[in-house]
Amino acid sequence: AVFGLLGLYSAYLFYTGCGPLLNIPEDKKVVYTIVTLISAAVLYWIVGILVAAVVGIGALGGGVASLGNAASAGDEVTVNIPGVGKIDTGEIEKAAEQAEKMQRGELTAVPAETLKGMLPETIGEFQRTAVSTSALGQAGGGAEGTYTAGDYSFTLKVNDMLALSGLAGMGAAMGIEHSEENADGYERVGTQDGQWRSEKWNNKGNNGSYGIMVSNRFQVEASGNVPSIDVLKAAVARIDAGDLEDLAE
């Protein structure tokens, strides 16, 4: 669901399928996927250059030319490539570097008990009534707390998505954004202040969800039936992003 919101579900399908179909080792699937996606973007870039040379520099040629000039200068740029999207070359490089560190074993999953310790006992008037953890070896893990106050209840999750953090970085690189609003509520997905966020609210049922990604690796999300979306935002804010950033290093 996270990668569906990020606009990377096709990339996720490729990631899950390349192992059994192409015999890619488990510890190299992330790197293989990222390299394939970057190669596809570069291929489109090359085709764009050839087309521009034939039909003249237009909107596509201008975008491709700016990418070519930046690449030769070694700068980080954001360009629009038709059929690929808006790509930040600096974010792609960071995602590739992180995937390489995972392959070399320099990055390891945070123990689920450590994430559990970040869940507060109380959030405003809400009391923590249950807690659970999950571990996927070196692929990641997470902790989830249930908070209740009267008839209202929500869950707060902290997940280490180490195995897929490279793909999350690709989401940041492509600047995925989506917004929809009607009488029943709204849904917003996008990057704000360099941080990916998702927000969804239903007015009729007084329920929704709010989540962020920290360091393109840790997912923090609160969802449930509450008086307002502000309760869920406050719950997410109780997880110290600075502590998660330190764990990512």
Side-chain angles (χ1 to χ4, degrees), residues 114-175:
T114 300
L115 300 177
K116 176 183 175 182
M118 302 181 73
L119 296 172
E121 292 285 345
T122 62
I123 300 177
E125 62 179 335
F126 286 81
Q127 300 287 328
R128 195 178 75 189
T129 56
V131 64
S132 62
T133 61
S134 60
L136 300 174
Q138 290 309 310
E144 175 180 328
T146 300
Y147 295 81
T148 304
D151 294 332
Y152 294 110
S153 177
F154 68 87
T155 59
L156 177 60
K157 304 175 184 178
V158 185
N159 294 320
D160 181 2
M161 302 170 63
L162 177 61
L164 301 177
S165 58
L167 293 183
M170 287 294 295
M174 297 183 70

Side-chain angles (χ1 to χ4, degrees), residues 107-111 114-115 118 158 160 215 217-218 240-249:
L107 290 177
T108 57
V110 174
T114 300
L115 300 177
M118 302 181 73
V158 185
D160 181 2
S215 296
R217 171 174 170 179
F218 296 99
D240 195 319
D243 289 345
L244 289 177
E245 291 172 353
D246 291 340
L247 291 173
E249 297 178 354

Side-chain angles (χ1 to χ4, degrees), residues 19 32 59 68 77 108 118 125 136 155 162 172 182 201-202 212 225 234:
Y32 183 85
V77 296
T108 57
M118 302 181 73
E125 62 179 335
L136 300 174
T155 59
L162 177 61
N182 55 42
W201 181 253
N202 182 282
I212 64 173
N225 176 236

Side-chain angles (χ1 to χ4, degrees), residues 15-98:
Y15 165 80
T16 55
C18 69
L21 291 177
L22 302 176
N23 296 319
I24 306 299
E26 187 68 27
D27 62 345
K28 295 183 179 180
K29 285 169 58 178
V30 172
V31 175
Y32 183 85
T33 301
I34 290 177
V35 170
T36 301
L37 294 176
I38 293 176
S39 298
V42 171
L43 178 60
Y44 201 102
W45 172 28
I46 294 173
V47 171
I49 292 176
L50 296 176
V51 172
V54 175
V55 301
I57 302 297
L60 172 61
V64 171
S66 65
L67 177 59
N69 293 336
S72 62
D75 297 329
E76 295 182 5
V77 296
T78 299
V79 295
N80 287 301
I81 302 180
V84 177
K86 184 173 66 174
I87 295 180
D88 185 325
T89 59
E91 290 295 334
I92 286 181
E93 184 176 357
K94 291 178 184 178
E97 289 175 353
Q98 187 169 16

Side-chain angles (χ1 to χ4, degrees), residues 219-240:
Q219 177 203 24
V220 183
E221 182 185 63
S223 61
N225 176 236
V226 291
S228 75
I229 191 70
D230 293 334
V231 174
L232 301 179
K233 291 182 177 181
V236 169
R238 288 293 302 275
I239 305 299
D240 195 319

